[in-house]
Amino acid sequence: MKPRNLKEKHIVELNGRLRPLTTPQMNWALNSTINHYGYRLKSGMCTCMKCGHEWLETRNGICLCPECGTRIEIKDTKERVIRDKSYFNVITTIEDYQVVRMFLMIVEMRKGMKANPAYLEIGSYWIDSNGKTTVVGLQRTLGHYIDCFAFGSPLEIRHDNEAFQRISDEWVYPRINVTDTIKRNGFKGSCHHIHPVTMFQELLTNPKAETLMKANEIELLRYLCARPTYKVDIDTYWNTIKVANRNGYEVKDSQMWMDYIKMLERCGKDIQSPRYICPTNLKEAHDHYVKKAREIEAKAKRAEDIRKAQEREANFKEQKEKFFGIRINDGEIEVKVLESVEEYRQEAESQHICLFSAAYDQREDSLIFSARIDGRIIETIEVDLRTLRVVQSRGVCNKNTAYHDRIINLINANAHLIKERITA
């Protein structure tokens, strides 16, 4: 894509002035960004696939090549060729731009020969002093994989895309050059496994990221850079973070700590009190307030259920009031009609059934009985008002009890009591 303005033209011109990869950078990429193997035959002769050296090796697993010192994994195989590739980044500066350069290394290692990798620059991110990014890169092609590039295309201004975003978060060459502004804002030479483009943007534009970097709160900085919603969390609980930092508290698991702070807030605790926000054992404190939050949720749900029951009560009475007072007793089991929506709710909660949540109280052709012994609920019974037959009879968690058949027979034998109320 042709540069559209003076800034893009200048970036294209600067891109042409960038130095090629140095020998130390290429050696680092070969040594550090791919796995290395020693291929061994049955005779015990092992070949380092990096340098081509052969020697007699009896050890298994990981060892060092006696020639080049590379840490290699021994594999018993007759294969003679390894093909591998990796992406890596070199972070540098030119003028006032912070540049993240993306490279592809392709290597074919043949038995008995020294590895001879090829390197290709895929593109680069250009970050100005205001945190704005411009992408220079190869043209992408259609393909099954996201990293499909037209290797013969020129490095031009491109739209940012998933491929460049993923590649720029791969291996980073450890010698990093940054602008004076980024250095002033706390960067000390390591990306701390944070996406470098995102981190540089935040350090240039977000004072909170600068504060976290200078305070060595790397876990929280990593949390801030992970996704936009996490950045909102940092803004929301910034005062809490400052209190924790002033009290010398080190956040070792930012995700769990942030969840813990949110639960403290939900439970009505003071989230600026070191007593709460600086737990000695974060996991124990987190689990404790998970339980508290569930209790609050359960209480809120019960309150909502009661409110719904009150709203449905008038309609329920209009439909079912004529059946109130029906009681059937065989000397041990007493079966009674549930006479309010609140009784439906309590029965459902006690028996762990969907009687209330499925709104059985609003079903015009259904009548619900509760079978009890000495006041203890045994089963809950639904009778079809059209046929006067039992549709279902359920105990705790919808399981049948030892009284199941006896209860059904008792209801069916006294169906005339229900019929009398219908015709009355």
Side-chain angles (χ1 to χ4, degrees):
M1 186 171 68
K2 290 184 178 181
R4 296 163 295 181
N5 49 51
L6 291 176
K7 178 183 176 182
E8 291 184 351
K9 289 179 181 178
H10 185 51
I11 287 175
V12 170
E13 188 268 329
L14 290 176
N15 188 73
R17 288 162 47 188
L18 290 174
R19 295 177 59 191
L21 282 173
T22 64
T23 299
Q25 289 169 345
M26 291 188 286
N27 289 339
W28 169 84
L30 178 61
N31 293 332
S32 304
T33 65
I34 61 172
N35 295 321
H36 292 280
Y37 300 96
Y39 278 5
R40 183 171 60 188
L41 298 173
K42 287 184 179 181
S43 63
M45 291 302 297
C46 184
T47 303
C48 174
M49 299 301 288
K50 179 188 171 187
C51 69
H53 177 67
E54 295 185 8
W55 75 102
L56 188 64
E57 181 60 71
T58 58
R59 293 171 294 177
N60 294 319
I62 304 296
C63 69
L64 298 179
C65 171
E67 178 69 18
C68 63
T70 301
R71 189 170 181 268
I72 60 175
E73 180 183 347
I74 303 298
K75 284 192 172 184
D76 294 310
T77 178
K78 292 181 180 180
E79 290 183 2
R80 301 184 60 84
V81 179
I82 300 176
R83 294 179 179 87
D84 204 352
K85 71 175 185 178
S86 70
Y87 290 101
F88 64 95
N89 299 277
V90 175
I91 299 175
T92 186
T93 63
I94 185 167
E95 292 189 356
D96 292 330
Y97 287 99
Q98 184 64 54
V99 186
V100 179
R101 303 177 69 188
M102 299 170 282
F103 292 90
L104 168 64
M105 179 184 72
I106 301 174
V107 59
E108 181 177 276
M109 293 176 274
R110 291 184 174 272
K111 206 167 186 179
M113 298 176 63
K114 187 176 181 179
N116 185 25
Y119 301 87
L120 177 67
E121 186 163 11
I122 297 299
S124 53
Y125 278 91
W126 295 72
I127 309 169
D128 64 21
S129 57
N130 296 317
K132 302 294 184 181
T133 61
T134 304
V135 178
V136 175
L138 299 179
Q139 181 181 359
R140 287 184 68 196
T141 60
L142 294 176
H144 180 72
Y145 301 100
I146 65 170
D147 60 335
C148 293
F149 297 101
F151 293 129
S153 63
L155 290 169
E156 294 182 339
I157 300 294
R158 306 290 180 189
H159 292 296
D160 197 5
N161 57 58
E162 184 183 1
F164 292 132
Q165 292 166 9
R166 289 281 297 275
I167 293 170
S168 60
D169 196 26
E170 293 293 326
W171 297 90
V172 175
Y173 181 61
R175 295 189 63 180
I176 298 174
N177 295 322
V178 295
T179 62
D180 292 339
T181 304
I182 292 176
K183 190 179 296 182
R184 181 203 67 193
N185 289 355
F187 185 81
K188 296 183 177 66
S190 174
C191 292
H192 302 289
H193 303 289
I194 303 172
H195 195 299
V197 176
T198 304
M199 184 180 66
F200 292 143
Q201 286 180 302
E202 293 297 336
L203 287 176
L204 288 167
T205 61
N206 189 345
K208 293 182 175 65
E210 177 185 347
T211 300
L212 292 174
M213 178 66 88
K214 289 180 176 178
N216 203 34
E217 291 284 2
I218 303 305
E219 264 296 308
L220 289 173
L221 178 63
R222 188 176 294 117
Y223 184 88
L224 181 151
C225 295
R227 59 179 62 176
T229 53
Y230 290 175
K231 183 178 178 179
V232 173
D233 288 344
I234 295 290
D235 292 337
T236 303
Y237 300 106
W238 184 242
N239 289 334
T240 301
I241 293 169
K242 290 193 293 184
V243 171
N245 182 259
R246 283 198 299 269
N247 284 271
Y249 185 72
E250 181 183 0
V251 178
K252 296 181 179 179
D253 187 333
S254 56
Q255 183 70 64
M256 183 181 290
W257 189 73
M258 274 295 178
D259 290 343
Y260 169 68
I261 296 301
K262 293 175 184 178
M263 286 188 292
L264 284 178
E265 185 177 44
R266 188 165 188 180
C267 293
K269 302 301 180 182
D270 183 1
I271 60 171
Q272 295 189 33
S273 168
R275 173 189 171 189
Y276 293 111
I277 68 175
C278 304
T280 304
N281 188 318
L282 176 59
K283 188 177 186 308
E284 285 185 4
H286 176 274
D287 293 346
H288 173 74
Y289 279 98
V290 165
K291 184 178 178 181
K292 289 280 188 183
R294 286 174 180 169
E295 290 173 357
I296 291 173
E297 288 176 2
K299 185 177 180 180
K301 185 178 183 302
R302 282 195 297 271
E304 178 65 14
D305 287 345
I306 291 172
R307 184 189 64 79
K308 289 180 179 178
Q310 292 171 345
E311 290 179 353
R312 285 153 39 178
E313 189 67 39
N315 185 53
F316 171 75
K317 282 190 174 180
E318 183 180 345
Q319 293 180 17
K320 305 295 190 329
E321 191 171 17
K322 58 187 174 184
F323 300 105
F324 291 177
I326 295 179
R327 277 176 165 74
I328 305 169
N329 197 313
D330 69 353
E332 181 183 14
I333 301 174
E334 181 184 44
V335 180
K336 64 180 286 281
V337 172
L338 295 182
E339 298 181 355
S340 70
V341 181
E342 177 61 19
E343 286 189 359
Y344 276 69
R345 189 190 68 80
Q346 293 175 359
E347 184 101 359
E349 188 175 291
S350 173
Q351 298 294 89
H352 303 286
I353 55 179
C354 63
L355 183 67
F356 179 78
S357 58
Y360 275 77
D361 54 279
Q362 301 300 301
R363 298 185 180 185
E364 295 183 1
D365 57 354
S366 178
L367 186 62
I368 304 299
F369 289 83
S370 178
R372 307 184 181 196
I373 297 177
D374 297 329
R376 180 171 59 90
I377 302 172
I378 305 300
E379 289 193 10
T380 305
I381 311 101
E382 179 188 9
V383 173
D384 189 332
L385 292 176
R386 295 168 301 182
T387 63
L388 301 182
R389 307 299 294 179
V390 173
V391 177
Q392 56 182 334
S393 183
R394 307 288 186 184
V396 175
C397 299
N398 289 309
K399 294 180 180 178
N400 294 340
T401 68
Y403 301 94
H404 180 73
D405 293 337
R406 186 174 161 189
I407 290 169
I408 292 177
N409 292 334
L410 183 61
I411 292 286
N412 290 335
N414 291 274
H416 63 279
L417 297 177
I418 304 172
K419 187 175 181 181
E420 289 172 359
R421 299 295 181 97
I422 294 174
T423 57

